[in-house]
Amino acid sequence: MSITHKQNYQEIMGLVHSPTRYAGNEINAVKKDRDQVDLTFALVFPDLYEIGTSHFGLQILYAILNRQEKIVAERFFAPAPDMEARQRERRIPCLSMESRQPLNTFDIIGVSLLYELNFTNILTLLNLSGIPFYSGQRDDTFPLMIGGGPCAFNPEPLADIFDAFVIGDGEDVVLEISQAVMAFKKEGDGQKHSLLRELSKIDGVYVPAFFNAEWDENNIQILTPVFDDYTRVKRVFLPELTRDNFPVSPIVPFGKPVHDRLRLEIARGCTRGCRFCQAGMIYRPVRERALDDLLEITEDSLQTTGYSEISLLSLSTGDYSNLPELMSRLMGLNPGHCTAISLPSVRAEKLTPELMNIIKQARKTGFTIAPEAGSQRLRNVINKNLTEESIRSTVENALALGWKTIKLYFMLGLPFETQADLEAICTLSTDLAQSYAKGHKNINVSTTSFIPKPHTPFQRISQISLDTAKENLLYLKTHLTHKKVKLKWQDPQMSILEGVWARGDRRLSDLLVTAWEKGCRLDGWSDYFDYSKWETAFEQTGTDPDFYTTRKRSDDEVLPWDHIDSGVLPAFLKKEFKRAEKEAVTPDCRDNDCTGCGVCDFKRVRPKLNDTVSVSGSLDKPMDPRSDRSENKRPDKRLPDDAFKKFEISFSKLGEARFLGHLELATIVRRAIRRTGLMPKYSRGFNPSMRLSFANALPVGMESEQETLFVYLEKGTVPKTIVDRLNRQLPEGLTITGCRPFSGAGKRPVKADGYAIRLSNNAVTDVQIRRLLDLPELIMEDRSKKGKIRRTDLRQTIEKLRLTDDTTLEMVLKKYNERTVRPTDILTHGFGLDEQQVRTARIRKLIM
């Protein structure tokens, strides 16, 4: 059965958009013999591949699990609607990226819960795989289903669907769970209830079935524990970030992932104490990774991935204790390979003269500043320790350092917001544009409605209504009119829906299923989001969204997540809310006294900071971004141009590699060359690129027995070495077949290309071929890239056309007025095949 699924899956990949979303076979993907392992673990990210494969947490768990000899972890992502439709049409279940095994054949399904608007995608994956939605409907033959991530800190909306949740850092607990399940498979009684009881003894594991839900006269959910020794679930902590829990060889995705670079987690947690920020509360305390570990990890990871860009990852990158030293030493790694460092933002008070000179040499991506509120009063309310002077200084410095666009992020509907605060957003943004956005420099203002989240000081506050959110947005649209200011916003309807799920209870599981049945999918994508379907689901299930959003909770109301202990004391959250009412700021405990949040025991759980390396300059000295100190310039360690030689390399592109687009292929080859240790030539300039080119660009879906690329490599490199090293670094389906120094002579231009085309039975007959060949002409009209109508006589391009068997067509095509005609043109215009027949045809370009 699985062989049929695999074959059908390959066939439908040619019919969908972005087929490499589903291809698997990426560099550093792990494949194991399932017969040789004791546990199979499905890691599910319920969003499209380009989002999920960029999630660092998924890479961490994938690496940790696959290091265990007796465990195999494989990945699943949500299909796009076109793929889902094809799977239903062919009755193909969700298959893993690595071995193409169905989701329902795994022992554990681990789902990353990063975003509330991904919840419907979970049901898509389950339904396609024949897995019942509700945990109570799944007997012992189905996989164990576990969720984890920030949304698990209020697990109640999904409590009827999941068997268990992990609350907190997953690095250690995922192995504890795995060991417990493996032991149970060997020695347990086979009953899921017994297994869940064992899992409930593991720190950080929440089993919803062991808490019975009732509702009081005010419709407030009340949970009653089943067991006296299991009444609260405390978040599990990873006390220290080490090399051992870092994925040094992360999977290198195909396609266009949202973060297509080496992500370097330099710290976890944040101490700034923003009262609206759930991540700042649930990821405490701050734990910085050691500087030497970061350098060692980076050096190894650049080698295993071939990436050319590094992105520093943390909740507050600029707060890393050794940031100037880290940046300086990172820029010295991988000499000759033009590695760039992406630094998203740095607070003004952190911009020492040394750091500013280092930043001047870094590649400039987007620079984000998050004032969150327009007025200082409201920033004090939310404990955003950022002054207008600091904001102005940061914008001025960033633009002077080379950034072209500054993104300002604001929230609408914050607690105690007034009309004056909305006016302040417009005033601040316009003043910044007038003062600093000169020439090609711009200010982008991005807004979203504030959503109160669990385990924050604002968890009981009202969320603004949909009507108010729309009015606020209209005000900004009307008053942000400066030509250098561009306003972007999240759909307020999305914010309402996110608010419902963020503070929901167990009654919402029926809403989720109903909305999914109405067609809700990929709700986090504006292209697919349809609030009218959710409104229908609200009405059909009797769900009042205002009950979860605009209703204010009293101080003594039991919250759905009260049994989840994030480590932050409820008394601290109440104290912070009182301080917000008074517009009082709570200082950062990194540089001041402990604020008493309750997370640290100062033994195992405590802040882990690195000693600050002394840097030249002082925060008290004026910062001149125009200064140019030669000792801080990044040395150019590239070889001179005459140290390189051009090589001509032939390669084949077969199997599922046919789904790689031309730009994807170029990226794959560039990264493969970097992984080989060979030294390529780069262009000059601020954003240098590898000197690599291709003779032809193959259409997506076409195989080829021989293509040609050209690359400049260091003189003296032996062609056989190039072939051997590259073949060890390329994914399955791409094979280097030859290499020689480029001479530029002796090779005649190709006048015709041959193809073998495998079609469905009787799609083309001998009669049709004779009829086509008897035509005096066959004119195809289309438009050129410049919009001009082109007329091509397809009959004149056909040099050879015959059936070699019932399903295989041999075709040789000549160029027409220097234009390359594709076999698909002949299939469509010559034989009248429809789009599906053409896209499922297996076309292979032959060696002539």
Side-chain angles (χ1 to χ4, degrees), residues 152-413:
F153 279 80
N154 177 21
E156 292 309 293
L158 299 175
D160 290 338
I161 292 171
F162 283 77
D163 297 307
F165 295 87
V166 169
I167 312 300
D169 298 318
E171 284 91 338
D172 293 337
V173 71
V174 72
L175 291 180
E176 293 184 65
I177 292 172
S178 299
Q179 294 296 335
V181 173
M182 286 191 289
F184 189 81
K185 287 176 67 177
K186 293 178 180 179
E187 303 168 3
D189 62 11
Q191 301 296 311
K192 182 189 288 187
H193 184 276
S194 301
L195 173 58
L196 292 175
R197 185 62 175 134
E198 290 302 311
L199 295 182
S200 71
K201 299 174 184 178
I202 298 174
D203 289 344
V205 175
Y206 169 51
V207 179
F210 296 159
F211 290 78
N212 293 324
E214 296 177 337
W215 284 265
D216 67 11
E217 65 277 7
N218 296 315
N219 287 325
I220 305 302
Q221 176 178 292
I222 307 296
L223 294 180
T224 304
V226 174
F227 300 104
D228 292 339
D229 62 348
Y230 189 62
T231 60
R232 284 178 66 78
V233 178
K234 187 168 184 177
R235 170 195 163 197
V236 64
F237 293 84
L238 184 70
E240 186 174 10
L241 303 182
T242 67
R243 178 184 168 87
D244 292 339
N245 49 49
F246 192 98
V248 178
S249 299
I251 292 171
V252 182
F254 292 144
K256 295 182 179 179
V258 292
H259 298 298
D260 197 14
R261 58 186 71 92
L262 177 63
R263 284 152 295 157
L264 190 62
E265 186 190 30
I266 64 175
R268 190 177 301 179
C270 180
T271 58
R272 291 194 170 271
C274 298
R275 294 177 180 128
F276 60 86
C277 181
Q278 185 187 51
M281 298 295 165
I282 66 175
Y283 290 126
R284 294 182 175 209
V286 65
R287 290 145 289 168
E288 294 184 345
R289 207 177 291 274
L291 180 65
D292 289 341
D293 281 354
L294 286 171
L295 295 169
E296 185 178 330
I297 286 168
T298 304
E299 195 162 14
D300 290 346
S301 294
L302 288 174
Q303 176 59 46
T304 61
T305 62
Y307 279 124
S308 59
E309 185 174 349
I310 303 165
S311 179
L312 304 185
L313 178 66
S314 79
L315 288 175
S316 184
T317 300
D319 285 336
Y320 184 77
S321 299
N322 294 344
L323 186 60
E325 180 74 4
L326 174 64
M327 289 282 292
S328 178
R329 294 177 67 179
L330 285 176
M331 295 182 83
L333 295 178
N334 217 24
H337 279 282
C338 302
T339 302
I341 301 173
S342 173
L343 190 65
S345 63
V346 180
R347 295 166 69 100
E349 66 268 25
K350 299 291 182 179
L351 285 171
T352 64
E354 178 166 346
L355 180 57
M356 292 179 70
N357 279 294
I358 295 171
I359 290 173
K360 286 173 69 175
Q361 305 161 51
R363 182 175 296 174
K364 308 300 187 297
T365 54
F367 194 100
T368 301
I369 305 171
E372 314 292 357
S375 70
Q376 191 61 52
R377 182 197 69 83
L378 193 54
R379 285 195 291 274
N380 291 346
V381 167
I382 63 177
N383 205 47
K384 186 74 179 185
N385 291 301
L386 193 62
T387 65
E388 183 167 328
E389 180 184 359
S390 176
I391 295 168
R392 289 180 175 277
S393 177
T394 302
V395 170
E396 180 182 14
N397 288 331
L399 292 175
L401 286 166
W403 273 275
K404 302 297 184 185
T405 300
I406 302 296
K407 178 180 178 181
L408 300 177
Y409 181 82
F410 296 98
M411 286 188 288
L412 306 180

Side-chain angles (χ1 to χ4, degrees), residues 239 285-287 599-609:
V286 65
R287 290 145 289 168
V599 166
C600 298
D601 60 13
F602 299 101
K603 296 177 182 177
R604 182 175 181 271
V605 181
R606 58 187 177 86
K608 290 282 293 183
L609 305 179

Side-chain angles (χ1 to χ4, degrees), residues 127-141:
N127 181 262
L128 283 171
S129 304
I131 300 174
F133 293 153
Y134 295 100
S135 59
Q137 297 174 350
R138 299 193 294 266
D139 61 27
D140 302 331
T141 63

Side-chain angles (χ1 to χ4, degrees), residues 40 59 109 119 164 190 209 211 216 231 266 315 383 440 459 492 507 530 559 596 610 669 694 738 758 762 768 828:
T40 55
Q59 297 268 23
I109 298 174
F119 288 175
F211 290 78
D216 67 11
T231 60
I266 64 175
L315 288 175
N383 205 47
H440 297 290
Q459 62 183 353
R507 287 174 295 188
D530 187 344
L559 300 174
N610 290 293
V669 172
F694 291 80
R758 194 170 72 221
N762 300 317
Q768 288 175 297
T828 301

Side-chain angles (χ1 to χ4, degrees), residues 76-127:
F76 291 79
F77 302 97
D82 62 340
M83 186 60 159
E84 180 189 347
R86 296 292 181 182
Q87 286 182 256
R88 294 192 185 284
E89 182 183 296
R90 299 284 189 97
R91 297 184 179 181
I92 302 172
C94 291
L95 304 177
S96 66
M97 300 291 287
E98 284 75 9
S99 65
R100 293 282 190 262
Q101 293 301 312
L103 181 62
N104 62 7
T105 65
F106 284 74
D107 295 314
I108 300 176
I109 298 174
V111 183
S112 297
L113 302 175
L114 272 292
Y115 185 30
E116 291 86 353
L117 299 193
N118 285 343
F119 288 175
T120 53
N121 305 333
I122 300 170
L123 302 191
T124 300
L125 288 154
L126 294 179
N127 181 262

Side-chain angles (χ1 to χ4, degrees), residues 425-466:
I425 292 175
C426 300
T427 300
L428 176 61
S429 303
T430 302
D431 286 352
L432 290 172
Q434 289 176 340
S435 300
Y436 308 117
K438 310 296 183 182
H440 297 290
K441 298 173 181 179
N442 297 283
I443 303 290
N444 287 348
V445 174
S446 180
T447 69
T448 187
S449 295
F450 167 65
I451 302 166
K453 290 294 179 85
H455 307 284
T456 69
F458 295 147
Q459 62 183 353
R460 296 178 181 271
I461 205 77
S462 298
Q463 181 174 340
I464 59 171
S465 68
L466 181 58

